[in-house]
Amino acid sequence: MIFADFLRNRRREQLSASDLAALEDSVWDVQKTRARQLIAHARQPIRMSTYLMEGFICRYMDDRNGLRQLVAVHVPGDFVDLHGYPLGRLDHDVATLGACKIALVPHERLDRLLVERPNLTKLLWFSTLLDAAMHREWIFRLGRLDAVARVAHFFCEIEAKLRAVGLSDGQHFAFPLTQADLGEACGMTSVHINRMLRELRERNLMQVQRNRVTISDLSALRRLSDYDPSYLFIEG
Amino acid sequence: MPRDGVFDQAGEAYAEEGQVMLDGPDGVAVSLTPGAAEQTARALLRAASDARRQLDGRELES
């Protein structure tokens, strides 16, 4: 099943078997991508939306000097660029971070789903509103938190999202991002990130080793970063 | 933190691999070259001195 993780532990129970089958039928192709592959270019017309089955994808914007700000990191189960369906083009680039498996849904098939399936339409809308909620949380992170709290907050979000789709047990998860990626997500240099990761390790809160995160004290990590996961609308 | 967002808590500065990192308060997290950090430090001291004079002037007026 392609959409096995879509809205898992969120509003999955509202997705009827019939709607799920229609969503599965809407997929044009499933592709394996390499790491660091551009999926959607900013300002160019797009005719398909990407559902992430495996791996990590980011949205990003580059400044005039080529310095990058990640504006979202997506995990399996995310319908990554559903925004491009009503917008017709994106205002940012979308690229894989590690190797990924994606499903491509042509917009004309989404047109049909929207006409025929109001409940599925509402859930797809819910999915894009989740992205909006995450963007608000990222603004809070970058505007309000100091360096160590920003990094802690980032990991709290990734952990919660991965746990919702069964890819974190609350303590351990695979994490293919580099310190440079983390810097671009948290608005810091990679040297700064390195120091903050060391601080988190020395406080016995979490550590990153060989593309794997181990969180020793999730409650303390959340307290440190003012993290409240309610914006993710994860149930249970 | 006062309601107008002015902090009475100082930021912290560290040196790491030839960069100066300034963290907090609030959403401050920047890395500077040593030269830029020195200039920033001087500018901060000047601005703090000016701000103190403004506060003293306000007290005299009231």
Side-chain angles (χ1 to χ4, degrees), chain A residues 142-147 150 187-189 191-192 195-196 198, chain B residues 14-17 19 21-24 26-31:
Chain A
L142 293 175
R144 273 281 163 254
L145 300 180
D146 63 16
R150 281 189 205 176
M188 287 181 258
T189 63
V191 174
H192 208 148
R195 185 180 175 106
M196 294 307 111
R198 194 170 76 217
Chain B
Y14 318 90
E16 189 88 19
E17 296 182 35
Q19 296 181 8
M21 294 160 203
L22 179 60
D23 284 349
D26 205 17
V28 174
V30 291
S31 298

Side-chain angles (χ1 to χ4, degrees), chain A residues 12-234:
Chain A
R12 178 80 178 186
E13 75 286 351
Q14 294 180 22
L15 190 61
S16 69
S18 163
D19 282 347
L20 181 57
L23 195 55
E24 294 274 330
D25 286 345
S26 71
V27 173
W28 169 71
D29 196 18
V30 171
Q31 297 177 355
K32 288 192 171 176
T33 68
R34 61 184 193 282
R36 312 284 155 176
Q37 182 176 319
L38 204 55
I39 301 280
H41 296 256
R43 295 172 288 281
Q44 290 187 9
I46 54 171
R47 295 180 180 82
M48 294 196 206
S49 286
T50 305
Y51 171 77
L52 180 56
M53 298 171 67
E54 294 173 14
F56 286 67
I57 280 180
C58 67
R59 304 164 184 275
Y60 64 89
M61 300 168 83
D62 291 339
D63 72 10
R64 71 186 76 170
N65 298 315
L67 294 174
R68 182 161 297 179
Q69 176 67 48
L70 300 196
V71 293
V73 171
H74 288 284
V75 304
D78 287 352
F79 217 142
V80 175
D81 61 351
L82 209 47
H83 310 75
Y85 167 61
L87 292 171
R89 61 178 169 80
L90 293 176
D91 45 47
H92 54 275
D93 295 301
V94 178
T96 60
L97 286 163
C100 289
K101 190 174 177 185
I102 57 174
L104 298 171
V105 180
H107 289 169
E108 70 262 20
R109 295 188 190 177
L110 286 172
D111 282 337
R112 207 164 55 232
L113 292 179
L114 262 61
V115 169
E116 296 170 357
R117 298 183 176 274
N119 187 58
L120 178 57
T121 299
K122 191 175 169 187
L123 289 172
L124 292 173
W125 191 2
F126 171 77
S127 167
T128 59
L129 291 177
L130 279 181
D131 287 338
M134 283 183 253
H135 288 313
R136 286 190 288 276
E137 195 71 16
W138 279 49
I139 292 169
F140 168 79
R141 175 195 301 156
L142 293 175
R144 273 281 163 254
L145 300 180
D146 63 16
V148 73
R150 281 189 205 176
V151 178
H153 188 281
F154 177 86
F155 279 103
C156 286
E157 176 179 288
I158 293 292
E159 191 285 322
K161 290 175 67 177
L162 288 174
R163 189 144 41 97
V165 293
L167 293 174
S168 166
D169 61 4
Q171 283 191 299
H172 309 95
F173 54 89
F175 185 72
L177 278 69
T178 64
Q179 291 191 4
D181 295 328
L182 273 176
E184 289 167 357
C186 297
M188 287 181 258
T189 63
S190 50
V191 174
H192 208 148
I193 286 288
N194 186 281
R195 185 180 175 106
M196 294 307 111
L197 289 176
R198 194 170 76 217
E199 186 172 332
L200 291 171
R201 189 176 64 242
E202 287 170 356
R203 289 195 198 185
N204 293 317
L205 297 178
M206 60 159 288
Q207 60 179 318
V208 187
Q209 273 185 318
R210 289 184 293 279
N211 292 334
R212 198 155 177 81
V213 172
T214 301
I215 295 179
S216 314
D217 191 340
L218 185 58
S219 300
L221 204 63
R222 285 182 170 182
R223 277 196 304 277
L224 171 68
S225 58
D226 260 341
Y227 188 77
D228 174 357
S230 57
Y231 71 98
L232 292 173
F233 291 83
I234 293 167

